[in-house]
Amino acid sequence: MKERIGFIGLGIMGRGMADNLMRAGFDITVWNRTAERMTPFVERGATAAASPKAVAEASDIIITCVSDTPDVEAVLLGAAGVIHGAAAGALVIDMSTINPVNTVDIARQLNAKGIAMLDAPISGGSEGAEKGTLSIMIGGDAADVARALPALEAMGSTITHVGEQGAGQTVKLSNQILCVVNMLAASEALLFAQAGGVDLDKMLSAVTGGAAGSWMLANRGPQVINDYWAPGFSIDLQQKDLRLVLGAADKMGVPVIATALCFNLYRSLQARGMGGDGNHSIIKALEAMAGIEARA
Amino acid sequence: MKERIGFIGLGIMGRGMADNLMRAGFDITVWNRTAERMTPFVERGATAAASPKAVAEASDIIITCVSDTPDVEAVLLGAAGVIHGAAAGALVIDMSTINPVNTVDIARQLNAKGIAMLDAPISGGSEGAEKGTLSIMIGGDAADVARALPALEAMGSTITHVGEQGAGQTVKLSNQILCVVNMLAASEALLFAQAGGVDLDKMLSAVTGGAAGSWMLANRGPQVINDYWAPGFSIDLQQKDLRLVLGAADKMGVPVIATALCFNLYRSLQARGMGGDGNHSIIKALEAMAGIEARA
C-alpha cells in the first residue's frame, strides 16, 4: 500500500510536484499559507488540512517545499508545526533550498522525536516541476532515501543520494554557483562577440558544442540574443539562494569570488526593479557598466 | 587535383594538423622555426622549405599555426615571409589565435598583393588536433571558405564560417572567455561542496546533467577530483589568449570582469611556477586564498 503523503507549500514549484504525486496515485493532504491555492487540489480529491501539524497527523511522509530557511523552520518546528503532529516513524522530506547548517539542526530536532528527515532540494525550474523531470539532490540515511524513492520518482528524473543530512542542500548551493557563474561567462562572451561585430547566432553555433559549452550558454544564450527575459528562474529567487551560498561560504572559509560578483551584479538589477526577470538578465548589469544601451 | 598545401608551425597543435593533411592525401611543404621538428614529416614524404617565403613559392594554400600575433606577422609579412613568395591567387589560412585587430590589418596587406586570407583559429586541444576533431571558427569571404574546406575538413569536425575577416579570432576569444570562467565556476562549486563535506563524485553526478552543467565541469571536474593536472591546455597558453581578450575588450569597452579575475588567478599560479599545468589548476589559486592545503 502506498504511504500517505502530506504536501506543504503549493507555490510555483510545489504545485507541479503535488500534481505529479496525485497523478502517480498517491493520496495527499495539502497545506498552503495562502489557503485558496489548495482549492484546485481539493477539487481533484486531495484533503486540505488546517495546519502543518494537521498535515502531519494525516500522513506517513510529509514533504515541504517553501521559500526560505525561516519558512521551513516555521512549518516544521513552529507552534502548529509538523513536529507536533507527526507520529514516531514518520519521514519528513524538505525539498526547499535552505541553509545547510540549519537543515542539520532541524533534522536533529525531528530525529529526537523519532521523525526521520531528508533534505532533498530540487533543480529544474517550474517546467521540471510540471513535467516531473526535476533533479533531486538528497542528504540523509540510505534507508530513508529508499523509503522516499517512490514519491521522489513521481516528481524527478535525476535522483541522487549525495551524502548525509545537509549534503543535499550543499550540493544544491554548488549547483547555484555553477548556474550563475556559467551565465556570467556566457554574458561576457556574448558581449565581447557582439562588440567585435560577430553574428551571435553563428558564435553560439561555433562554440556551444565544444570545451566552451554549458547548459546556460545553450539554453539562455538564444534567449539573450532574442531579448527574451521571462524567468526560468527569477533574479529575486536567485539572490535568496546566493545569500545562502555567501553565508555558508563565509562560515566555511571558501572564496567564492565569481559568485559574489554575480550577487552584486544581480543586486544592481534588483535596484533597477528587475528582480522578477530571469537570471540570464545578468548581461544587462554588464551592459550598464559599459554604457551599452539597455536591451529591450 | 588537390591544391598544394604549405604548413608553417609544427608545434603541439600544428604537428597533428599537418599529419592529418598528409593522411588525407595532400602534398605538403613545411617550415618550422626549430628545424628538427620537420624531420618526421620529411621522412613521410613532405618537403621541408628554407623559409616561409619558400613555403609560399611551393604552395597554393598556406596554413600558419604559430604562437602569437608577432609570430604570425613575422612568418607572413617579415623579410622571408609568405607575402614575398605567394603568387597572386594564393590563399593564406591563419589558424593561430591572435589579436582580431591585427588579423584584419594583416589580411589587408595580403589582399593588396592579390593573396586571399582567412582567420581560422581552432579549439579542441592537442587531442583534437591529433584526431582531426578540432572546432574551426572562420572569418573571411565565403568563396575562400569554400576553397579552404577540403583542407579544413581533414583537420576539424566542427567548421563554422562566423563572419568577415577577424570574426574567427573574435569568436575564438569568446570561446576562451567561456572556458576559463566556466572552469572558475566549477572550481568554486567543487571547493564549496568539499568544504561542506560532500563526496565530489556524487556532487558531479547530481549536477552535471542539468542547468549547472558545462563541458569544463564534466571533463575537468573529474581531473580536479583525481589530482590530475597535466595540461589539455596550459596556463601559459591560456594567459596568452586572455591577454588578447583583455586588450581587445579594453579597446571595445566591454567589461569582462570574471575573465579578468581568471587572468589574475592564473597569474598567481604562474608566479608559483605552475604555468605548464593545465588550465583547470585555477582551483589551486582559490585554495591558496583560503589557506587550504595545496592539492598534489
Side-chain angles (χ1 to χ4, degrees):
Chain A
M1 216 185 79
K2 291 197 177 195
E3 301 207 71
R4 298 168 302 158
I5 308 267
F7 202 102
I8 295 170
L10 300 169
I12 190 168
M13 298 297 290
R15 265 198 298 262
M17 295 156 69
D19 256 343
N20 282 319
L21 285 167
M22 292 188 77
R23 250 181 238 126
F26 286 99
D27 279 333
I28 70 170
T29 301
V30 297
W31 183 82
N32 192 71
R33 193 167 45 187
T34 309
E36 58 261 35
R37 287 215 186 133
M38 296 191 276
T39 311
F41 288 90
V42 172
E43 284 167 356
R44 274 170 291 160
T47 305
S51 67
K53 175 172 181 268
V55 169
E57 286 165 348
S59 307
D60 306 305
I61 294 177
I62 303 102
I63 296 173
T64 51
C65 189
V66 297
S67 290
D68 207 345
T69 311
D71 307 298
V72 174
E73 289 171 337
V75 299
L76 290 180
L77 308 177
V82 166
I83 197 167
H84 305 296
L91 170 63
V92 168
I93 309 173
D94 179 30
M95 305 187 76
S96 324
T97 297
I98 68 168
N99 190 314
V101 176
N102 295 55
T103 292
V104 173
D105 183 60
I106 294 166
R108 197 185 46 73
Q109 295 186 54
L110 292 172
N111 294 169
K113 301 260 182 177
I115 304 162
M117 178 171 168
L118 297 172
D119 49 301
I122 51 187
S123 164
S126 53
E127 310 99 301
E130 276 163 32
K131 291 180 190 161
T133 58
L134 293 169
S135 290
I136 308 178
M137 296 147 257
I138 316 170
D141 289 349
D144 295 327
V145 175
R147 180 180 173 190
L149 219 49
L152 297 180
E153 283 172 345
M155 299 182 280
S157 54
T158 304
I159 300 168
T160 314
H161 181 201
V162 293
E164 295 307 299
Q165 281 170 342
Q169 297 298 351
T170 298
V171 170
K172 171 64 190 288
L173 296 183
S174 302
N175 187 84
Q176 301 307 71
I177 291 173
L178 288 158
C179 288
V180 297
V181 180
N182 287 350
M183 192 62 225
L184 180 56
S187 304
E188 292 193 7
L190 286 164
L191 271 188
F192 185 92
Q194 179 176 278
V198 171
D199 179 285
L200 295 185
D201 288 310
K202 286 183 182 160
M203 179 273 215
L204 282 188
S205 68
V207 306
T208 302
S214 69
W215 187 97
M216 280 287 170
L217 185 71
N219 291 275
R220 300 296 177 228
Q223 295 185 344
V224 168
I225 295 174
N226 296 317
D227 279 334
Y228 178 86
W229 306 108
F233 193 64
S234 75
I235 290 174
D236 286 340
L237 282 173
Q238 187 72 77
Q239 289 292 76
K240 181 220 111 192
D241 289 358
L242 292 185
R243 277 193 190 90
L244 296 174
V245 170
L246 297 179
D250 182 24
K251 274 195 186 134
M252 301 191 298
V254 176
V256 285
I257 48 186
T259 308
L261 201 50
C262 293
F263 177 81
N264 283 287
L265 292 170
Y266 283 129
R267 199 78 194 74
S268 74
L269 297 177
Q270 289 180 306
R272 288 161 59 195
M274 297 156 71
D277 287 355
N279 61 358
H280 56 302
S281 307
I282 196 168
I283 193 170
K284 295 183 185 178
L286 296 178
E287 290 176 328
M289 289 174 67
I292 299 169
E293 198 181 328
R295 288 168 192 271
Chain B
M1 215 186 78
K2 291 197 178 195
E3 300 209 72
R4 297 168 303 156
I5 308 269
F7 202 100
I8 294 171
L10 300 169
I12 191 167
M13 299 298 290
R15 266 198 297 262
M17 295 157 69
D19 257 343
N20 282 319
L21 286 167
M22 292 188 77
R23 251 180 236 126
F26 286 100
D27 280 333
I28 69 170
T29 300
V30 297
W31 183 82
N32 192 70
R33 192 167 47 187
T34 308
E36 59 262 35
R37 287 215 186 134
M38 296 192 276
T39 311
F41 288 90
V42 173
E43 284 168 354
R44 273 170 291 161
T47 304
S51 67
K53 175 172 181 267
V55 168
E57 286 166 349
S59 307
D60 306 306
I61 294 178
I62 303 101
I63 296 172
T64 50
C65 189
V66 296
S67 290
D68 207 346
T69 312
D71 308 299
V72 173
E73 289 171 337
V75 299
L76 290 180
L77 309 176
V82 166
I83 197 168
H84 304 297
L91 169 62
V92 168
I93 309 173
D94 179 30
M95 305 187 76
S96 323
T97 297
I98 68 168
N99 190 315
V101 176
N102 295 56
T103 292
V104 172
D105 183 60
I106 294 166
R108 196 186 46 72
Q109 295 186 54
L110 292 171
N111 293 168
K113 300 262 182 176
I115 304 163
M117 178 170 166
L118 298 172
D119 49 302
I122 52 186
S123 164
S126 52
E127 310 99 299
E130 276 162 32
K131 292 180 189 160
T133 58
L134 293 169
S135 290
I136 307 178
M137 296 145 259
I138 317 172
D141 290 349
D144 296 327
V145 175
R147 179 179 172 191
L149 219 49
L152 296 180
E153 283 172 346
M155 298 181 281
S157 53
T158 305
I159 299 168
T160 315
H161 182 200
V162 293
E164 295 308 298
Q165 283 170 340
Q169 297 298 351
T170 298
V171 171
K172 172 64 190 287
L173 295 183
S174 302
N175 186 83
Q176 302 305 71
I177 291 172
L178 288 158
C179 288
V180 297
V181 181
N182 287 350
M183 192 62 225
L184 180 56
S187 304
E188 293 192 6
L190 285 165
L191 270 187
F192 184 92
Q194 178 177 277
V198 171
D199 179 285
L200 296 184
D201 288 311
K202 286 182 183 160
M203 178 273 213
L204 283 188
S205 68
V207 306
T208 302
S214 69
W215 187 98
M216 280 287 170
L217 184 72
N219 291 274
R220 300 295 178 227
Q223 295 185 343
V224 168
I225 295 174
N226 296 316
D227 280 335
Y228 178 87
W229 306 107
F233 193 64
S234 75
I235 289 173
D236 286 339
L237 283 172
Q238 187 71 77
Q239 289 291 77
K240 181 219 111 191
D241 289 357
L242 292 185
R243 277 195 189 88
L244 296 173
V245 170
L246 297 179
D250 181 24
K251 274 195 187 133
M252 300 190 298
V254 175
V256 285
I257 48 185
T259 308
L261 200 50
C262 292
F263 178 81
N264 283 287
L265 292 170
Y266 283 129
R267 199 77 194 76
S268 74
L269 296 177
Q270 289 180 305
R272 289 162 59 195
M274 295 155 70
D277 287 355
N279 61 358
H280 56 302
S281 307
I282 196 167
I283 193 170
K284 294 183 185 179
L286 297 178
E287 289 177 327
M289 290 174 67
I292 297 170
E293 197 182 329
R295 286 166 194 272

